[in-house]
Amino acid sequence: TESSLESMRRISHELMPVQLEKFGLLKTLETVIEQLQSAGTVHIELRTPADLSFLDHPAQLALYRVLMELINNTIKHAGADRIAIAMKTERGVLFCCYSDNGKGLPGEWSGKGLGMKGVEGRISVLGGTFEAGNNEKGSFQATFSVPFKPNENKDTPWKKQSE
């Protein structure tokens, strides 16, 4: 029972991390990346706009869950040691490219797994688009775009957050 309760507590925090609500998507991603890199499992390069606070909380939560699913899949299945996440904004749309240097998706992959369905659903609810497959090197790559109401900064340049 204790083990089940601890697992439920951990899952609950992962689904709705307190840090996301307090500090926003960017700081939460930086913290997760720092933890993963300190564990030595994978190196993650994050390039984002300097501030993602223009996204409302539901969008930040959905994008957090999408990126955690993609990172988790890379660690579990890809045999990768590098992940790159790049986001930029242009004309009221957030674009994101996620890639790793792993073995890529198997030839028979249909994209019908529960995790990827969840990713597609979260992006769809935000009015966005999602595509996943293997890049020219044979490694996994996913791209998605999500519209948002632009603030006065409209377009935001990329900023490298980690090395």
Side-chain angles (χ1 to χ4, degrees):
T1 304
E2 273 185 43
S3 176
S4 294
L5 288 173
E6 181 59 35
S7 291
M8 286 178 57
R9 206 173 293 122
R10 181 185 53 77
I11 291 167
S12 173
H13 286 300
E14 288 173 1
L15 288 175
M16 185 58 174
V18 175
Q19 187 175 11
L20 183 64
E21 198 166 321
K22 285 185 177 181
F23 302 111
L25 180 60
L26 183 56
K27 187 66 177 166
T28 303
L29 288 175
E30 289 171 343
T31 300
V32 168
I33 288 168
E34 188 177 298
Q35 290 171 347
L36 288 170
Q37 290 187 152
S38 69
T41 49
V42 67
H43 174 80
I44 302 174
E45 180 182 316
L46 176 65
R47 294 186 333 161
T48 68
D51 180 15
L52 295 173
S53 63
F54 56 86
L55 296 168
D56 63 18
H57 183 71
Q60 289 190 38
L61 179 59
L63 293 174
Y64 170 80
R65 289 180 178 165
V66 163
L67 291 169
M68 290 304 99
E69 179 68 25
L70 295 173
I71 290 169
N72 188 47
N73 285 349
T74 292
I75 291 170
K76 276 183 166 179
H77 306 294
D81 63 358
R82 298 187 76 72
I83 295 172
I85 303 168
M87 294 184 212
K88 71 175 183 174
T89 62
E90 190 175 299
R91 296 186 202 116
V93 179
L94 174 73
F95 296 94
C96 182
C97 181
Y98 175 99
S99 62
D100 65 40
N101 68 343
K103 60 186 175 185
L105 298 170
E108 71 277 359
W109 184 77
S110 64
K112 303 296 183 204
L114 191 57
M116 290 307 254
K117 281 184 180 179
V119 166
E120 288 178 339
R122 286 185 175 96
I123 297 298
S124 178
V125 164
L126 296 174
T129 61
F130 176 81
E131 292 181 20
N134 291 336
N135 62 25
E136 66 278 352
K137 296 177 184 174
S139 297
F140 178 77
Q141 180 172 312
T143 57
F144 56 89
S145 62
V146 176
F148 65 92
K149 290 199 176 231
N151 60 17
E152 59 276 352
N153 292 333
K154 292 187 184 166
D155 296 333
T156 318
W158 293 21
K159 177 182 178 190
K160 191 169 185 179
Q161 299 292 333
S162 62
E163 302 224 355

